[in-house]
Amino acid sequence: MQAHADLKTLNTFGLTAHAPVLVMIGKATELNELASIPGFETKDWRILGGGSNVLLTQDVGKPVVRIAIPGMTVIGTEGADTIVEAGAGIIWHKFVMWTLSRDLYGLENLSLIPGTVGAAPIQNIGAYGVELVDVFHSLDAWDIRTGLIRTFTADDCAFGYRDSVFKHEAKDRYVITAVRFRLRTVPDLKLDYGTIRAELEAMKITSPTAKDVSDAVVAIRRSKLPDPAQIGNAGSFFKNPTIPTEQYESLKAAHDQIPGFPSANGVKVPAGWLIEQAGWKGFREGDGGVHAKQALVLVNYGGASGDQILSLARRIQADVAGKFGIDIHPEVNIW
Ligand code: FAD
Ligand code: NAP
């Protein structure tokens, strides 16, 4: 346990903020002991994994529980699928590599997403045409109010586009301790998204394996995204908005290059395109800015404050709304 803990190295934006007390949890059973520790009686805590999807705008006024629960196990089969379980503290990419090394498939397109297994369901992580929900089996979560473990099915999690029940009514109420996945023993490769095929071609691979797809995704991501170890960031700062089809058609008349992807409730428009068109790509003010290769990623070049990043985000939101009539909303959790 650490009092007045500096969270700077525990968030990928590299922002300085203090927590009154920080506790690392290495086993689910340790959660039961927390309520008796001074500072934790309130049952009102912040939960932290790898800190790759949070923006710390100020000191955290609540105790912080950092989840470091280990473990990766094959627990059985269901029909043709293999069910595996990972502890919430396992690093996501390490888990993806572990599954591929055991010839278990389904996570390859989600390679190199930062953070922990336990945080992956929170926003139903997604990339290159695959979302966590596609391979999700169930999860265990410790209820902060009752101290009991509850098992959630996919329906209970109410997964949506970068969304789940844990961002709404279950927010800050449950500590996810373990997640189970339904993986295939025969690959069903998803190659049609973005530049995966082009990357495989560049790698001179004609009959790709799942590991080849993972390698291609890793290569694409390394070429486009800032490495948080070099430049502070939390990945995409905003979610891609979905707008009504009629609004998309009228925008298309004015901006013939505007990309759009039909989705359940209308058309999904890449927020990065809107921000770039509004002129923000590569913008820098002090140590806060918009990444030069991907306008959806806000960056801290070293000395920016969380408040500075938040006010930049608000300016971008207002500008995009003014220029396109589209509201974009943060994907990052603002603390
Ligand atoms: P944290 O940032 O620590 O926490 C995020 C939220 O989850 C917080 O609200 C926290 O309270 C909660 N939380 C964390 N752990 C638990 C737990 N065990 N129980 C309950 N609540 C918990 N995301 C994508 O979806 N797709 C991408 O392709 C992608 N690419 C990225 C690339 C970069 C360079 C970066 C920096 C981020 C990217 N992200 C992406 C965002 C981020 O990696 C994911 O959201 C990731 O799942 C966050 O994991 P974390 O452990 O760092 O969570
Ligand atoms: P990209 O390939 O340049 O595409 C731009 C946007 O268009 C993406 O956001 C993507 O939406 C959408 N898109 C592209 N092809 C699509 C298709 N065939 N069908 C539906 N939507 C499509 O994107 P990028 O920035 O390099 O990112 C590549 C992938 O990694 C994306 O899936 C992205 O979500 C993910 N990623 C996420 C984060 C994060 O922090 N959340 C950070 C980096 C990368 P989607 O985002 O809905 O896929």
Side-chain angles (χ1 to χ4, degrees):
M1 189 171 66
Q2 201 186 334
H4 193 60
D6 186 351
L7 304 179
K8 187 176 168 70
T9 59
L10 303 183
N11 73 98
T12 59
F13 257 122
L15 296 163
T16 295
H18 289 85
V21 53
L22 170 74
V23 165
M24 182 94 92
I25 292 293
K27 279 194 226 141
T29 49
E30 289 170 6
L31 289 162
N32 295 311
E33 294 151 29
L34 272 183
S36 59
I37 295 179
F40 283 88
E41 327 70 342
T42 58
K43 300 195 173 177
D44 183 14
W45 317 330
R46 290 284 195 195
I47 305 152
L48 191 63
S52 65
N53 206 15
V54 290
L55 176 72
L56 305 176
T57 58
Q58 56 191 326
D59 281 344
V60 183
K62 300 174 181 185
V64 173
V65 180
R66 185 152 192 253
I67 304 303
I69 300 170
M72 294 186 277
T73 335
V74 173
I75 57 169
T77 54
E78 276 185 18
D81 296 330
T82 298
I83 313 301
V84 299
E85 178 177 296
I90 293 287
I91 298 300
W92 175 261
H93 184 65
K94 180 178 169 190
F95 174 57
V96 174
M97 292 298 107
W98 180 85
T99 61
L100 289 174
S101 72
R102 276 156 184 77
D103 300 328
L104 295 171
Y105 309 118
L107 300 181
E108 48 280 359
N109 293 44
L110 301 177
S111 296
L112 210 65
I113 297 181
T116 55
V117 166
I122 305 288
Q123 71 161 16
N124 179 24
I125 56 167
Y128 297 95
V130 175
E131 292 180 314
L132 174 111
V133 66
D134 301 329
V135 286
F136 180 84
H137 180 279
S138 57
L139 64 79
D140 292 338
W142 188 82
D143 184 338
I144 296 176
R145 288 189 216 158
T146 64
L148 299 173
I149 293 269
R150 176 179 159 191
T151 296
F152 285 71
T153 63
D155 282 350
D156 296 332
C157 293
F159 290 121
Y161 179 62
R162 305 289 190 269
D163 202 21
S164 76
V165 70
F166 301 103
K167 288 192 129 189
H168 302 282
E169 57 266 38
K171 188 173 162 62
D172 293 330
R173 172 157 179 193
Y174 293 95
V175 179
I176 295 172
T177 55
V179 186
R180 286 173 289 277
F181 299 82
R182 187 187 293 285
L183 301 178
R184 301 170 59 94
T185 48
V186 178
D188 175 20
L189 302 180
K190 306 272 186 293
L191 307 176
D192 292 328
Y193 197 97
T195 51
I196 293 184
R197 279 189 198 278
E199 187 65 35
L200 288 166
E201 253 172 56
M203 291 159 71
K204 305 208 181 325
I205 290 167
T206 45
S207 307
T209 63
K211 180 65 168 62
D212 293 331
V213 174
S214 167
D215 289 346
V217 167
V218 166
I220 300 167
R221 294 181 71 100
R222 289 213 168 111
S223 72
K224 280 181 98 169
L225 290 168
D227 175 358
Q230 312 289 330
I231 305 176
N233 76 93
S236 304
F237 196 90
F238 300 102
K239 278 210 258 191
N240 293 321
T242 294
I243 61 173
T245 307
E246 310 74 60
Q247 185 185 4
Y248 178 74
E249 293 305 338
S250 70
L251 278 168
K252 182 108 182 136
H255 311 273
D256 63 342
Q257 302 294 314
I258 187 170
F261 300 95
S263 75
N265 314 314
V267 178
K268 181 183 74 177
V269 177
W273 187 88
L274 298 169
I275 297 167
E276 183 174 345
Q277 294 304 306
W280 291 94
K281 194 173 182 182
F283 173 87
R284 178 168 179 172
E285 192 172 74
D287 270 352
V290 179
H291 193 243
K293 290 190 189 163
Q294 170 49 287
L296 199 47
V297 179
L298 302 193
V299 292
N300 171 17
Y301 287 103
S305 69
D307 245 1
Q308 198 182 329
I309 302 285
L310 185 59
S311 89
L312 172 60
R314 289 196 173 128
R315 280 159 68 195
I316 293 170
Q317 280 175 298
D319 198 26
V320 166
K323 288 190 167 116
F324 299 100
I326 299 179
D327 290 327
I328 53 171
H329 299 285
E331 176 182 299
V332 170
N333 299 278
I334 294 167
W335 286 12

